[in-house]
Amino acid sequence: MGAVRIGFSGVTVLQGVLTADLHRVHRAHPRVELNLVELAPAAQLQGVREGALDDIGYSLDLGLDHTGDLVVTCRARTTLSIAMRPDHELATGASVTVADLVDRNLIVFASREDDETVLTRLGPGLHAHRSRVHLVSGTLGVLALASAGVGVAIVPTATERITLPDITYRPCATAPRGRTW
């Protein structure tokens, strides 16, 4: 009985990690109300610490180094992809490298201005052009801006399951793998 608030990143739904766990919990405890809140990774950590979430979040680990007081369990691994308009010049190649992104307008999923988990994961080269980074707090918002041609979006590869008009995906060839926790 009761309710539980769970933070999640959209990619955990696309990977099937969150939905499989929710299904198991619902079958075992059908009277528990499951409340989901979509949040970026850093916002989930803050929510668990402050009690806004009930001790659990599902997110990508993209360089979150401040988890010492929390238990983190790796549930899956993922790579990153680049989402862009089909007519973008980077769409002609089979993949995109981090070096290809240095002078581009970038769109990333982040909860607030100081949340640079995706950029940190890709290395120091992208920080020099911080003014060209658009932070967006939702997966669909990231893809909408990429579709509008505002820039290229750095997204987990599972995001490729979302088919939208005017969006194409290319693997990020040199991006390190992230964990879903």
Side-chain angles (χ1 to χ4, degrees), residues 94-108:
S95 65
V96 176
T97 67
V98 173
D100 293 332
L101 301 175
V102 170
D103 290 323
R104 307 279 178 189
N105 290 331
L106 303 177
I107 306 161
V108 297

Side-chain angles (χ1 to χ4, degrees), residues 14-120:
L14 297 171
Q15 286 179 312
V17 174
L18 174 62
T19 53
D21 286 353
L22 291 175
H23 179 72
R24 278 192 297 279
V25 169
H26 178 68
R27 287 189 59 173
H29 308 282
R31 295 174 62 189
V32 171
E33 182 181 335
L34 301 171
N35 296 316
L36 300 177
V37 181
E38 186 173 8
L39 296 168
Q44 287 187 48
L45 290 175
Q46 182 179 353
V48 169
R49 286 188 177 112
E50 295 175 356
L53 299 175
D54 289 324
D55 301 326
I56 190 163
Y58 284 75
S59 181
L60 284 181
D61 171 13
L62 294 171
L64 296 173
D65 296 325
H66 309 293
T67 60
D69 59 329
L70 302 175
V71 175
V72 177
T73 303
C74 178
R75 299 293 314 281
R77 299 215 179 269
T78 189
T79 55
L80 295 176
S81 291
I82 308 302
M84 68 199 98
R85 291 187 53 82
D87 58 357
H88 192 281
E89 65 184 90
L90 292 178
T92 61
S95 65
V96 176
T97 67
V98 173
D100 293 332
L101 301 175
V102 170
D103 290 323
R104 307 279 178 189
N105 290 331
L106 303 177
I107 306 161
V108 297
F109 180 61
S111 58
R112 58 187 190 271
E113 200 58 35
D114 63 342
D115 181 0
E116 296 186 349
T117 53
V118 172
L119 297 179
T120 301

Side-chain angles (χ1 to χ4, degrees), residues 158-176:
T159 306
E160 292 183 22
R161 292 186 175 134
I162 299 175
T163 304
L164 295 174
D166 296 321
I167 281 288
T168 191
Y169 299 93
R170 296 293 180 269
C172 189
T174 54

